[in-house]
Amino acid sequence: MHRRKHKRKKNHVVIVTSDAVDVGMKQYRIRSWVSRTITFVLCVLIGMVIGYFVYEERIWGAALSQNSEQSAALQALEEEKAALQGEVEALNEQIRILSATVNEKVQSESELTAQLEQQSTPSKLPLTGAASVEEVSEGDPMCIFTASVGSMVVATASGTVMSVNDDVDYGHNVWIDHGNGYITIYRNKGEATVKQGDSVVQGTTLFVIGKDNNKLGYQMMKDNSYIDPMELLSISG
C-alpha cells in the first residue's frame, strides 16, 4: 500500500514591527508565487535602471547625432533653396531683358513701318524751291506749278517708275507707282532723269527746271481713280 505524498504549500511571512513598546508585531503571509513575481518585477526594474545608466551616453549620443544629421539636412535644404531662388531671380532678370529687347524691337519695327509708310505716301511737294500753284477744275484733277529756274521736280514719295512717256501738252511725263494704291504723274517739258523700272525715294530728281520748262503738271491716282493732289498735300501740311 502506497501513501500519497501531498505537496506542501510554501508561504512567506512578512513581519512588521515598530520601535514603540506598546505596538504589537504584525505578520503578513504572502504566497510563494506572489513573492516570486514581486522579486522578478524588482529585478527587471533594477536591470532597466542599471541598463539606462550604462547606456545613457550611447542613447544621448545617438539622439544628438540624429539631431545633428537633421540640422545638417535642414541647412543643406536651406542652401539649396537659396541657390534655387538665386537661379529664379537670374531667370527673371533674363526674361525682363528679353522682354525689354522684344519691346524695343517691336517699337523699332513699328517706327520703321510707319516711316516707310510715310515715305511711300505722296504727301510732299513735287518741287524744290519757290513755286506758285493753280488747280485745274476741268477734266481729271491736276495741279499746275510754276517753278523758279534751277528748281527740281522731285518724287513726292518712294516707289518704282512705271513709265516715261512723251506728253502732248507738256513734252514728257513720268508715272511712279508707290506700291500702296497711290500713283503720281509728273508732266514737264524737260528731259526726264529717270527711266522705266527705276526705284526712287522721296526727293529723287525727275526733271530740272529751266527757262523753257518752268511749268509742271502734277496728278495723283488712288486705286486707279484720279484724286485731287491738294487734298493729300493739305493733310500733310
Side-chain angles (χ1 to χ4, degrees):
M1 184 174 180
H2 298 281
R3 292 183 180 179
R4 291 185 180 180
K5 292 182 180 180
H6 296 281
K7 273 188 177 182
R8 293 181 62 188
K9 296 182 178 179
K10 293 180 181 181
N11 295 324
H12 299 274
V13 177
V14 178
I15 300 173
V16 180
T17 63
S18 177
D19 294 338
V21 177
D22 57 347
V23 177
M25 182 176 59
K26 293 184 180 180
Q27 296 183 3
Y28 298 95
R29 192 176 298 277
I30 301 174
R31 296 190 178 187
S32 62
W33 68 270
V34 175
S35 63
R36 286 196 299 269
T37 302
I38 292 173
T39 302
F40 175 75
V41 171
L42 288 174
C43 290
V44 171
L45 290 175
I46 292 171
M48 290 176 63
V49 171
I50 294 172
Y52 174 77
F53 284 108
V54 171
Y55 293 100
E56 179 183 9
E57 184 177 354
R58 296 183 182 179
I59 293 171
W60 285 107
L64 291 174
S65 177
Q66 185 176 4
N67 290 335
S68 177
E69 291 176 357
Q70 291 178 351
S71 299
L74 288 175
Q75 184 177 359
L77 287 175
E78 290 295 331
E79 292 176 355
E80 185 176 357
K81 179 181 177 182
L84 289 174
Q85 187 174 0
E87 292 179 2
V88 169
E89 292 176 356
L91 289 174
N92 287 335
E93 180 65 15
Q94 290 180 3
I95 291 172
R96 187 190 66 78
I97 294 173
L98 289 174
S99 178
T101 303
V102 170
N103 290 335
E104 290 177 0
K105 185 176 181 181
V106 170
Q107 184 177 1
S108 299
E109 290 179 352
S110 298
E111 292 175 355
L112 180 60
T113 300
Q115 184 178 359
L116 292 175
E117 183 177 356
Q118 181 180 4
Q119 291 178 355
S120 299
T121 302
S123 57
K124 300 296 183 180
L125 286 173
L127 284 165
T128 62
S132 60
V133 60
E134 61 177 304
E135 296 183 60
V136 176
S137 57
E138 296 181 359
D140 297 326
M142 179 185 293
C143 292
I144 299 177
F145 292 89
T146 301
S148 58
V149 176
S151 299
M152 290 177 289
V153 177
V154 295
T156 54
S158 301
T160 303
V161 177
M162 294 175 60
S163 62
V164 178
N165 305 309
D166 293 332
D167 190 284
V168 176
D169 296 324
Y170 290 90
H172 303 94
N173 57 53
V174 175
W175 294 59
I176 297 177
D177 183 1
H178 300 284
N180 52 6
Y182 285 103
I183 295 175
T184 50
I185 306 161
Y186 310 79
R187 303 178 187 274
N188 187 264
K189 291 183 178 180
E191 292 293 330
T193 59
V194 293
K195 62 183 182 300
Q196 182 178 353
D198 284 352
S199 294
V200 297
V201 297
Q202 199 171 66
T204 298
T205 301
L206 306 178
F207 298 97
V208 177
I209 299 297
K211 292 182 180 180
D212 298 330
N213 66 322
N214 64 338
K215 297 288 185 179
L216 169 67
Y218 179 63
Q219 291 178 294
M220 186 182 298
M221 300 180 72
K222 172 65 174 175
D223 298 329
N224 297 320
S225 296
Y226 283 95
I227 62 173
D228 184 358
M230 292 303 294
E231 292 182 0
L232 192 60
L233 294 177
S234 297
I235 292 173
S236 67

